[in-house]
Amino acid sequence: MSITMDTTLASLVTNKRRVSALKSLGIVTVGDALTYYPFRVTEPVPLRAIREAAPGQQMAFAAVIRDMRVVPMNARRGYRLEATVDDADFARSRRVPGSTARLTFFSYRKSYVDWVSMRLRAGTSVVVSGMPSEYMGQLQFTHPEILTVAPGSAGAGAGLEGYARGAASGNGAFAGSTDPYASVQSAYPPAAAASSGAALKYDADTVQEALTRVCRPRPVYHASSRISSEHIHETILGLLWMMGARTSSTPDGQLAGAGAAGIVAPTTDTIAVQNGEENSGTTAESGAEALSQSIPDVLPESVRKAKNLMHRAEAFLAIHDPASTTRFKEAIETLRYEEAFVSQTSLLKARSHAHKSAAHSCPLVTDSLRDQFIASLPFSLTAGQQQVIHDIAADLAHDWPMQRLLQGEVGSGKTVVALAAMLQAVDAGYQAVLVAPTQVLAEQHAETIGRMVEQLKPAIPVTLLTGGMKLAARRKALAAASSGEPGIIVATHAAFSKTFQAPHLALVVIDEQHRFGVEQRESLNAKTDDGTTPHLLVMTATPIPRTAAMTWFGDLDISWLTELPGGRKPIRTVVVNEADAATMGRMFAHIRARVDAGERAYIVCPRIDADDEGNEGGSGVSAAAGSARGRAAASGSSARTAAGGRATRAAADAIGIDDPYETFDENGETVARPPLHAVAEIADRLQKLPQFQGIRFATLTGRDKDDVKIQVMADFAGGETPILVSTTVIEVGVDVKQASCIVIFDADRYGLSQLHQLRGRVGRGGTNSWAFLISRAEPGSPAEQRLEVIHHSLDGAEIAQADLEFRGAGDVLGDAQSGGKSSLKLLRVVKDADMIADARTRAEQLLAADPELADEVQLAGAVLDFTRGNETFLTSS
């Protein structure tokens, strides 16, 4: 059976529970498994004789089992197995006296005890790795890692004398000669034959092999309660073996020969198909060739050699079975550069393709609608607005499509810039569409734009199209768009539907671009009857550092609006520990005082319903760092599915956190955290407080129908319900100028950029304003450190950069909110800025010589997957 990166694990792994557990981590194919990278690698375990042991310090040694006994535990159920080991021969190689130690195992399962007993028969040669402790005056290893060594094999105890030269550094097999075990025969007696005469299966053929395996660095993966890091590692090594790898990657850059530790063939009770079983004489060289055929390189050979990078197959091997921590880091750098190169090649191809397309030219005319509009404004444009409007005007005059990203802080005047561009398109006789992520925001835009253009001559039709409209109104709006009459259309996701047609569409403006997928944006390109591609302006208030923008939006021209209109006062940000009842009480009293003064307050909670099963229990979270995303989450506080796939709309609405941070212990297991606060729960609690007696509350969530949302926001803005308890549905576009306070529960679980967005909901009317971040973070924890960033900064770019460094790129840029996944797994858009710039330069050179990548088939496929947003090449972390 030929195994490729697309082969499903279900066809290879016989243990269906393991298949299911891996699927919950987003691992479905061989490619998913190989790109499920460990989050750290352990340091090499030093070799020490028993007499050299230091309690609490990891060590490994070779020994012989002297005796073994199983003791039932009377005080509680279960058994204790104790084995005494003697390291006389191993100790002699280190020129110290031999000694004994006790290996101890506890279990409630008799089957486990019987299995360990069978392996640890008296006379068996073993290699032990573990943490020593002292119990009743004797050195003890509790649940150490044990590898049994086959008796009588040539070189079973090889090299113990020769090892002593390099072992003085305490780094065992990694400090001496490259093959320190090669010459000496086994000093260990053969293990006693089983009384039944049954053949025993041993873990290693030689002591050399066993010592190398336990001492070498070990990758540690993000695991879950369903599958351990060790089992993930075992599965990946089994897959590599099946694809042709027989030996591990060595520092000289080749697959090792006879002297190095081999990858152990997986057992048939784990793996169903074993490639090469019929040919037991497979050589290291043919194994290397087979692995490289199964895992072809993506980077062009010229780029790989110029950067001195590994082959992709070799990098996978060095990551999942590293010979040293240095080798592991080199492999990570190889695949990190691969991600940079693929992403930049993809963006450059997209940019080149756009310039080859035709678009409607929209030159400025005398006494233009745009100039009338600017002259009618009751305020002066900032210098930044004037510059961006000028740049867009020049782009629209071309006969190829503009592709521009406009980034600006909340309130920086992006809507005015967008409207100026749309009026230029209308003046040229074409249609312009503004797409907003929510119905509330679309209606606000339609109302605002309608007021701004009502005095212009000739009159400009402004059409509103949303999915929540009544059928008659919706048909009327669709008919107006399909007529092709010059005008402005303001729409929600309804603009992406097949029923929406705008035959003379020249400009598409997308507000909060991170809320829409690439495929949705591309669908608007097919809305014209004449085959032209509309000009595209995407806007975001999500702050994106310039390095991140270069990485993710390299196919776009980028404009920044950094000046805020005059009159806005800085928002005071306060971090409050939820356990501090006195401070919480003073905060609620302050909010009551602001409400009595005629102002409004938002209370934000991440969940809708406290007893909603969909909100907790088993959904997974991915991170950056990232990830990111494909990591299992025992706490289940994400709107994404455990498999790392797309969540249902209900699940996405149920939890407003864009991509909460996971906490992992040193083994990669998720650490349980307290349940998230819910809208219904908090609204009920607050209404019972004495500070809010006589105050009417309202609630708002993503599950509410559109007409309910509109009414709730109207009552809130009008003051009938001056306190609004909601999910993050208010994050984008809600503009209530009387709002002066926002309280965000579980703030330690949000991304910094999302907190910054939420904070921007207040202070929009020129009044003093406050943001209270309610936290349950432990003192000194990373979560507390994150909140300190937003506590001390109002600079969106600075906050975004900190968010990138804390958790990775995809989450900050909003892939979680659009239901998609980050295509970057290892690349760090801030720290790797130089690498990204180098990759972009080399990608430009490659595309100049081979624009269609005809000579780079694998790279072309990877670029296509990246462009489409598929996860078959790079998946979210």
Side-chain angles (χ1 to χ4, degrees):
M1 175 180 178
S2 177
I3 300 173
T4 69
M5 298 286 279
D6 295 322
T7 304
T8 61
L9 294 189
S11 65
L12 303 176
V13 179
T14 54
N15 187 329
K16 298 310 175 188
R17 284 188 178 182
R18 184 171 296 190
V19 172
S20 176
L22 290 168
K23 185 177 181 181
S24 72
L25 299 179
I27 304 173
V28 178
T29 66
V30 171
D32 294 335
L34 297 185
T35 56
Y36 191 78
Y37 302 120
F39 68 93
R40 70 181 177 93
V41 64
T42 63
E43 290 297 322
V45 178
L47 289 177
R48 293 175 184 155
I50 292 175
R51 283 189 180 273
E52 298 172 305
Q57 295 184 17
Q58 192 83 8
M59 61 175 282
F61 61 94
V64 175
I65 304 293
R66 290 305 179 205
D67 60 67
M68 182 271 298
R69 64 174 183 154
V70 177
V71 182
M73 293 185 288
N74 296 326
R76 51 182 178 165
R77 292 189 305 111
Y79 305 88
R80 182 177 76 252
L81 184 149
E82 295 178 348
T84 303
V85 293
D86 179 354
D87 74 338
D89 296 296
F90 178 77
R92 189 180 306 117
S93 74
R94 297 185 61 84
R95 293 175 172 79
V96 297
S99 187
T100 61
R102 182 168 51 212
L103 313 181
T104 305
F105 300 84
F106 299 92
S107 181
Y108 292 115
R109 293 165 48 206
K110 185 65 164 60
S111 58
Y112 172 78
V113 173
D114 291 342
W115 176 74
V116 176
S117 301
M118 181 181 67
R119 301 180 74 224
L120 303 187
R121 295 178 180 277
T124 301
S125 298
V126 294
V127 166
V128 181
S129 174
M131 192 88 71
S133 60
E134 192 173 323
Y135 179 70
M136 297 182 66
Q138 185 175 5
L139 200 68
Q140 174 175 282
F141 292 82
T142 304
H143 284 275
E145 180 181 1
I146 301 288
L147 293 184
T148 57
V149 180
S153 300
L160 295 181
E161 293 293 341
Y163 167 79
R165 294 192 304 274
S169 67
N171 218 16
F174 307 98
S177 61
T178 56
D179 190 7
Y181 304 105
S183 60
V184 182
Q185 298 299 311
S186 174
Y188 295 102
S195 57
S196 64
L200 296 178
K201 179 175 176 59
Y202 295 94
D203 299 314
D205 292 331
T206 65
V207 171
Q208 170 205 346
E209 177 189 335
L211 284 173
T212 303
R213 281 171 55 188
V214 300
C215 289
R216 65 190 294 125
R218 196 78 54 85
V220 182
Y221 303 82
H222 285 300
S224 72
S225 58
R226 298 181 61 188
I227 186 168
S228 67
S229 173
E230 281 297 320
H231 283 155
I232 295 171
H233 187 214
E234 176 187 285
T235 302
I236 293 174
L237 288 185
L239 295 172
L240 286 168
W241 191 93
M242 295 166 62
M243 297 176 83
R246 294 295 181 270
T247 52
S248 49
S249 180
T250 57
D252 64 0
Q254 302 297 323
L255 290 177
I263 295 180
V264 178
T267 59
T268 53
D269 59 354
T270 303
I271 299 291
V273 181
Q274 296 191 6
N275 183 31
E277 275 186 310
E278 71 288 348
N279 183 11
S280 58
T282 301
T283 65
E285 289 72 19
S286 63
E289 183 179 346
L291 189 62
S292 62
Q293 289 176 354
S294 300
I295 308 174
D297 214 347
V298 168
L299 287 175
E301 183 74 7
S302 58
V303 173
R304 187 169 67 83
K305 287 184 176 179
K307 297 294 294 181
N308 195 27
L309 302 173
M310 300 179 186
H311 188 282
R312 194 176 197 222
E314 185 186 350
F316 281 139
L317 197 55
I319 285 175
H320 296 297
D321 190 35
S324 66
T325 53
T326 300
R327 193 69 177 153
F328 175 85
K329 291 174 183 176
E330 290 173 355
I332 290 291
E333 285 301 295
T334 291
L335 293 179
R336 185 171 283 149
Y337 190 89
E338 180 186 282
E339 289 186 359
F341 195 86
V342 169
S343 64
Q344 293 306 303
T345 304
S346 174
L347 293 170
L348 288 168
K349 276 184 66 66
R351 189 185 187 97
S352 173
H353 178 74
H355 281 192
K356 293 177 182 177
S357 302
H360 292 297
S361 175
C362 303
L364 276 174
V365 297
T366 305
D367 191 28
S368 66
L369 289 170
R370 191 202 74 168
D371 293 341
Q372 287 183 48
F373 161 65
I374 293 174
S376 71
L377 292 172
F379 54 84
S380 298
L381 296 178
T382 65
Q385 286 175 312
Q386 293 177 25
Q387 181 61 49
V388 175
I389 288 174
H390 174 76
D391 292 342
I392 291 174
D395 288 345
L396 291 176
H398 293 144
D399 58 2
W400 65 81
M402 170 183 72
Q403 288 191 295
R404 184 172 291 275
L405 170 68
L406 175 59
Q407 176 182 312
E409 292 278 4
V410 172
S412 60
K414 296 186 298 297
T415 304
V416 170
V417 172
L419 182 52
M422 290 189 287
L423 289 173
Q424 184 172 337
V426 172
D427 225 358
Y430 300 110
Q431 295 170 294
V433 173
L434 170 62
V435 185
T438 66
Q439 178 164 335
V440 171
L441 183 55
E443 290 175 343
Q444 286 186 359
H445 275 317
E447 181 182 350
T448 302
I449 290 172
R451 287 200 311 267
M452 286 181 165
V453 303
E454 63 184 357
Q455 302 299 325
L456 301 183
K457 301 297 181 183
I460 307 299
V462 178
T463 304
L464 175 65
L465 175 64
T466 71
M469 297 173 70
K470 292 184 178 179
L471 184 59
R474 181 179 172 84
R475 285 177 173 171
K476 184 177 180 180
L478 288 170
S482 62
S483 70
E485 179 188 2
I488 295 173
I489 303 162
V490 182
T492 57
H493 289 75
F496 303 120
S497 69
K498 293 181 180 179
T499 57
F500 175 74
Q501 296 295 328
H504 295 157
L505 183 60
L507 173 64
V508 174
V509 180
I510 295 182
D511 194 13
E512 291 305 327
Q513 59 80 28
H514 65 277
R515 296 297 181 103
F516 302 102
V518 174
E519 292 178 2
Q520 289 177 310
R521 296 199 294 265
E522 289 296 322
S523 72
L524 284 172
N525 289 342
K527 298 300 181 184
T528 57
D529 290 343
D530 52 14
T532 58
T533 299
H535 298 282
L536 177 65
L537 175 66
V538 292
M539 304 190 298
T540 181
T542 302
I544 307 169
R546 289 175 187 264
T547 51
M550 182 178 74
T551 304
W552 281 88
F553 304 110
D555 58 330
L556 306 178
D557 296 308
I558 304 174
S559 299
W560 275 268
L561 287 179
T562 56
E563 302 171 71
L564 291 179
R568 294 199 63 176
K569 297 180 180 179
I571 303 168
R572 304 174 193 178
T573 304
V574 183
V575 179
V576 181
N577 189 321
E578 190 173 342
D580 185 351
T583 303
M584 292 284 287
R586 290 196 301 272
M587 176 189 72
F588 290 134
H590 171 81
I591 292 172
R592 174 59 187 262
R594 302 321 307 160
V595 169
D596 288 344
E599 296 169 11
R600 314 282 186 269
Y602 296 106
I603 311 289
V604 178
C605 304
R607 292 169 61 197
I608 295 175
D609 217 320
D611 57 0
D612 189 336
E613 292 291 332
N615 289 342
E616 62 184 26
S619 63
V621 175
S622 88
S627 62
R629 301 166 61 254
R631 296 174 182 157
S635 61
S637 51
S638 171
R640 289 199 212 172
T641 62
R646 301 180 180 226
T648 63
R649 183 62 181 267
D653 287 340
I655 299 178
I657 290 179
D658 60 357
D659 199 358
Y661 296 93
E662 283 304 309
T663 304
F664 299 97
D665 63 20
E666 61 180 8
N667 293 318
E669 297 274 354
T670 51
V671 176
R673 297 179 293 179
L676 299 166
H677 288 298
V679 168
E681 163 213 354
I682 292 298
D684 183 61
R685 281 170 52 185
L686 295 185
Q687 289 179 83
K688 295 176 181 177
L689 294 177
Q691 291 96 326
F692 296 123
Q693 290 301 308
I695 297 293
R696 290 186 61 193
F697 281 68
T699 62
L700 182 67
T701 74
R703 288 183 187 165
D704 293 328
K705 294 182 178 180
D706 289 328
D707 57 343
V708 173
K709 291 179 183 177
I710 293 167
Q711 186 61 49
V712 167
M713 289 307 302
D715 291 345
F716 176 64
E720 293 183 35
T721 52
I723 296 180
L724 178 62
V725 185
S726 76
T727 59
T728 55
V729 69
I730 64 157
E731 179 185 351
V732 173
V734 174
D735 188 2
V736 178
K737 298 192 183 304
Q738 299 91 335
S740 64
C741 295
I742 185 168
V743 178
I744 304 172
F745 279 91
D746 295 305
D748 52 302
R749 307 276 284 274
Y750 288 81
L752 296 184
S753 292
Q754 193 178 22
L755 288 175
H756 183 61
Q757 282 276 79
L758 289 167
R759 180 170 60 180
R761 294 306 103 204
V762 297
R764 303 169 72 86
T767 60
N768 290 322
S769 53
W770 294 262
F772 298 97
L773 310 181
I774 312 302
S775 168
R776 287 183 281 185
E778 295 291 330
S781 66
E784 186 181 64
Q785 295 169 19
R786 290 195 299 269
L787 291 182
E788 282 303 301
V789 172
I790 201 159
H791 177 206
H792 294 294
S793 178
L794 292 170
D795 186 331
E798 178 184 333
I799 290 167
Q801 178 153 332
D803 214 357
L804 280 167
E805 292 170 350
F806 274 122
R807 65 173 182 166
D811 306 328
V812 175
L813 301 182
D815 293 288
Q817 289 142 312
S818 66
K821 302 204 296 182
S822 164
S823 295
L824 300 180
K825 206 166 188 182
L826 296 172
L827 193 65
R828 304 158 304 184
V829 295
V830 174
K831 295 180 181 178
D832 297 326
D834 291 342
M835 177 185 289
I836 293 166
D838 180 88
R840 189 175 184 86
T841 299
R842 294 180 188 276
E844 286 173 342
Q845 295 170 353
L846 177 68
L847 290 172
D850 185 5
E852 299 303 320
L853 299 178
D855 296 331
E856 301 292 344
V857 177
Q858 295 300 325
L859 176 62
V863 165
L864 186 62
D865 286 339
F866 184 92
T867 304
R868 288 176 174 172
N870 292 339
E871 293 80 35
T872 53
F873 170 60
L874 300 169
T875 58
S876 177
S877 57

